[in-house]
Amino acid sequence: MKRFAVVFLCLLISEAIVFGGEADAAKVERGSKTAKAGFQNEDEIRDKFNNWKTDADARAWLEAMNHQMADINSVSASKPHGEKADVEVTVKTKSGERVERISIKLVSSPNGFNQIDKRWLATYAKMWKMPPDVVDALKLFVGETPPRESSRDKRRMYLDELDQIAQQAVVDFFTANKDEIVSDLLAGDGIHAAGWMMVTYKATDKPKWVIRTSADAIKFYSDGPVELTKAGNLKIGRITLQRKGGDNGRETAKMLQFKINPVQLFDAHHHTDGK
């Protein structure tokens, strides 16, 4: 699969949480700083990029993505629909043109979980060529197949309630295909795949942001084993797989969803070789 760079713009967490209080700006690693203002949504971030000449945050973001201010002729940002990239930024320089595709996570809690992907089981089964035994196990997990009488939830079964062979089939499948799965979940695939990740932590007057390449984000969130959680869901490195639930019991409650804690990306430089 041809991968494109993924931009994840991350504005995260108060100084007290991330840097333990009085963090000197010079000590803050490249790609992570105190933002000049809060950001409510992707529209504001797009608009800031378009005002890059006078917007200090946008200039810092561009520098974090390895652009030299002196080389930039123009910057144009837009929002593609239905893609992993929430904002696409076209940067024209003296040497040519580059499109930065950014996945944005806006968070207000250091322990909050953010949905990164949600689809029907059949869609994932086709995407990742799931074998029939894994599909059958996950049908019980989401409730497409009625649970056994002994299940602790009358709507579905948890993975730890399945027999050992079914549990192992699920774990083995996600272990064997982890790299492709995590890349698809975080970056997407094709022409609009994200190249960077951006997270904003909005709970304080001084929000933080951090930018990581998709390669670093994928490496970070895929780090760790594939295993069942105490709640009977699946952990794929630092990603959690759950039945969506909610929706007042509508059919959409049976969808699968993958979640991460975006705030953890602030620690990614401790775990990856990226900048």
Side-chain angles (χ1 to χ4, degrees):
M1 251 180 235
K2 192 171 180 182
R3 301 287 172 201
F4 288 79
V6 182
V7 181
F8 294 87
L9 295 179
C10 306
L11 304 166
L12 290 183
I13 311 187
S14 69
E15 291 179 22
I17 295 171
V18 178
F19 299 110
E22 299 298 318
D24 187 275
K27 296 178 184 177
V28 178
E29 55 136 355
R30 185 175 180 216
S32 178
K33 291 183 180 179
T34 301
K36 301 296 182 185
F39 316 103
Q40 302 302 314
N41 54 48
E42 293 90 349
D43 288 346
E44 292 183 22
I45 292 167
R46 174 202 60 199
D47 293 345
K48 289 174 77 67
F49 271 114
N50 285 326
N51 294 320
W52 68 281
K53 287 185 179 179
T54 56
D55 192 294
D57 289 326
R59 294 168 74 86
W61 298 338
L62 290 163
E63 287 179 347
M65 291 186 284
N66 303 312
H67 289 284
Q68 302 298 318
M69 288 299 106
D71 295 336
I72 298 176
N73 291 330
S74 68
V75 175
S76 175
S78 61
K79 283 177 60 182
H81 296 290
E83 305 292 345
K84 283 295 177 189
D86 295 301
V87 171
E88 290 189 350
V89 184
T90 301
V91 182
K92 291 183 179 180
T93 65
K94 298 169 184 176
S95 58
E97 180 178 299
R98 206 163 93 200
V99 179
E100 307 287 13
R101 297 180 173 91
I102 306 165
S103 171
I104 299 169
K105 305 297 174 192
L106 300 145
V107 294
S108 55
S109 167
N111 300 313
F113 279 83
N114 191 294
Q115 176 186 288
I116 53 171
D117 210 87
K118 175 190 69 182
R119 308 183 196 208
W120 296 104
L121 170 56
T123 304
Y124 289 123
K126 185 176 181 181
M127 277 174 61
W128 298 326
K129 300 179 175 62
M130 285 183 188
D133 55 348
V134 175
V135 174
D136 289 344
L138 292 176
K139 280 184 176 180
L140 286 163
F141 180 60
V142 296
E144 287 184 18
T145 300
R148 291 194 288 263
E149 295 267 336
S150 59
S151 175
R152 58 181 184 264
D153 187 326
K154 67 180 188 296
R155 296 164 298 184
R156 46 78 68 97
M157 293 181 72
Y158 288 89
L159 294 178
D160 58 352
E161 296 178 308
L162 303 179
D163 62 57
Q164 288 297 320
I165 295 175
Q167 289 183 30
Q168 197 61 49
V170 171
V171 170
D172 288 350
F173 172 78
F174 281 94
T175 301
N177 298 281
K178 185 164 72 167
D179 291 348
E180 177 191 358
I181 288 169
V182 175
S183 182
D184 284 347
L185 293 173
L186 287 174
D189 183 39
I191 195 168
H192 291 289
W196 304 81
M197 191 172 194
M198 175 177 183
V199 184
T200 82
Y201 183 78
K202 305 183 295 179
T204 65
D205 291 337
K206 293 182 178 180
K208 293 286 184 182
W209 61 266
V210 62
I211 294 177
R212 292 280 177 267
T213 65
S214 59
D216 279 352
I218 290 163
K219 184 176 179 181
F220 176 72
Y221 280 106
S222 62
D223 183 42
V226 175
E227 58 190 1
L228 271 60
T229 68
K230 291 179 181 178
N233 295 312
L234 191 70
K235 197 83 169 175
I236 305 156
R238 293 183 169 92
I239 300 173
T240 300
L241 167 64
Q242 299 175 330
R243 174 185 188 265
K244 183 181 179 300
D247 288 354
N248 293 316
R250 291 193 293 273
E251 277 297 298
T252 47
K254 297 176 182 176
M255 296 178 82
L256 281 172
Q257 68 177 2
F258 293 83
K259 302 178 90 172
I260 63 169
N261 180 355
V263 170
Q264 291 179 322
L265 202 65
F266 265 122
D267 294 326
H269 65 284
H270 298 308
H271 302 272
T272 69
D273 296 324
K275 291 181 180 180

